[in-house]
Amino acid sequence: MRIAVTGSTGLIGSALVRSLLADGHEVVRLVRRHSGTGPQPDGSTAIGWNPLLGQVEQDGLAGVEAVVHLAGAGVGDHRWTDAYKREIRESRALGTETLAVALAALKEPPRVLVSASAVGWYGQTGDRVIDEDAPAGDDFLAEVCVEWEAAARPAELAGIRVVHPRTGMVLSAAGGAGARLFPLFKLGLGGRLGDGRQYWSFISLADQVAALRFLIDRDDLSGPVNLTAPDPVTNAELTAALGRVLRRPTPFPVPEAVLKVVLGELAVEVVGSHRVVPRRLLDAGFRFAHPNVDAAVRAAL
């Protein structure tokens, strides 16, 4: 297949592109215009776009059968100043709208758009088990996710099957939260965050990539699909798993008050709780390579 990918240099995007190329698919990367376009060393092709200005090199999308849209400013990359919160929101809503409008305008649109979302859609849900039928929350990230998903509407109106993978915390030592947590735990400096009772819905990077490819192939799946392992764990349970796998003590809890000083408003997400399960993936027959936290941590390390 000829598959276009945005966010192809990020943790998930780079792993997805490697997987697709290894299986003989043709990959088109959408990159900012100041980046190098044309043939890439890995065998993919890069075309330019400016998501905030509504610009896409549409000729490069000709013949694309599927699109995976992963681009967006990192939620945990900076403190949540007003300016950065605006960047988080605009990079998702405007970027998705730019892509959806461009795809809808193609003479032969792709058959599927897998447009990223996140479990933040549900807001803070405590210890309640949440699946795709749950309503949206009312905090900042929930509002962002609602706008993010709605921005793909032009593609849906053009007859393109649109899927919204609502992803949890991707466990990997190469990026995301794992890249920050794992080195501390390897040194024996890890510990729970806050009281540790908050649920973290995780997924291994390998399962994340496999699930995205599953969504590309399954014509019967559209709308929201949770991409999380079947058994979400508390922060304390994840901390214990890291200690077991690394054979290191985990004696240094970080109080919530300290997190608020260090992280600002982002601390709300760190100590917040999302107990999300992948009902639609499981019902569709997807099989997780790393269904529990110990397996996911081993895979990440």
Side-chain angles (χ1 to χ4, degrees):
M1 294 175 63
R2 181 172 167 84
I3 301 172
V5 181
T6 76
S8 63
T9 60
L11 173 66
I12 299 170
S14 57
L16 174 64
V17 168
R18 287 194 301 271
S19 174
L20 292 171
L21 291 172
D23 285 345
H25 296 288
E26 182 182 354
V27 175
V28 178
R29 300 174 181 261
L30 275 71
V31 300
R32 296 297 185 103
R33 289 186 182 276
H34 63 259
S35 303
T37 56
Q40 302 297 297
D42 62 1
S44 64
T45 300
I47 65 172
W49 79 317
N50 189 319
L52 300 185
L53 296 181
Q55 300 170 346
V56 182
E57 292 181 13
Q58 285 193 259
D59 289 347
L61 293 174
V64 164
E65 300 169 72
V67 179
V68 182
H69 174 43
L70 303 171
V75 169
D77 290 356
H78 301 279
R79 286 179 69 94
W80 283 4
T81 62
D82 289 343
Y84 195 66
K85 286 170 71 174
R86 184 168 58 253
E87 183 176 347
I88 289 172
R89 187 186 299 270
E90 291 181 350
S91 68
R92 286 162 171 76
L94 295 181
T96 302
E97 183 180 18
T98 292
L99 183 61
V101 169
L103 297 177
L106 291 173
K107 184 177 180 180
E108 294 185 12
R111 62 178 180 82
V112 59
L113 167 61
V114 180
S115 187
S117 185
V119 297
W121 162 281
Y122 304 107
Q124 304 304 324
T125 58
D127 61 359
R128 291 183 293 122
V129 177
I130 298 297
D131 65 17
E132 292 87 352
D133 291 334
D138 58 4
D139 59 14
F140 168 68
L141 282 187
E143 292 174 356
V144 169
C145 289
V146 169
E147 292 183 26
W148 196 4
E149 295 187 15
R153 182 65 172 162
E156 188 176 352
L157 292 174
I160 301 170
R161 177 171 63 91
V162 176
V163 192
H164 297 291
R166 293 177 179 166
T167 299
M169 182 178 68
V170 179
L171 284 181
S172 170
R180 300 182 184 188
L181 290 175
F182 294 173
L184 293 175
F185 279 84
K186 286 181 178 179
L187 293 171
L189 300 175
R192 59 175 172 78
L193 303 179
D195 64 18
R197 293 198 294 267
Q198 68 273 30
Y199 274 88
W200 283 11
S201 297
F202 67 92
I203 188 170
S204 73
L205 181 58
D207 280 334
Q208 174 75 14
V209 170
L212 289 172
R213 295 190 58 174
F214 186 82
L215 297 180
I216 291 172
D217 293 336
R218 286 293 296 260
D219 291 335
D220 57 330
L221 287 175
S222 61
V225 180
N226 293 335
L227 265 58
T228 61
D231 187 19
V233 296
T234 64
N235 173 257
E237 289 169 333
L238 175 60
T239 297
L242 284 164
R244 285 194 300 272
V245 173
L246 290 168
R247 298 182 181 179
R248 294 287 190 278
T250 57
F252 297 106
V254 183
E256 183 174 344
V258 173
L259 288 170
K260 289 180 177 178
V261 171
V262 174
L263 300 177
E265 189 179 348
L266 177 58
V268 174
E269 282 300 309
V270 173
V271 299
S273 187
H274 307 92
R275 192 177 184 180
V276 178
V277 294
R279 178 181 57 81
R280 296 194 68 199
L281 264 186
L282 293 173
D283 288 349
F286 181 80
R287 299 188 66 178
F288 286 84
H290 310 114
N292 59 61
V293 68
D294 283 60
V297 169
R298 290 192 188 95
L301 295 170

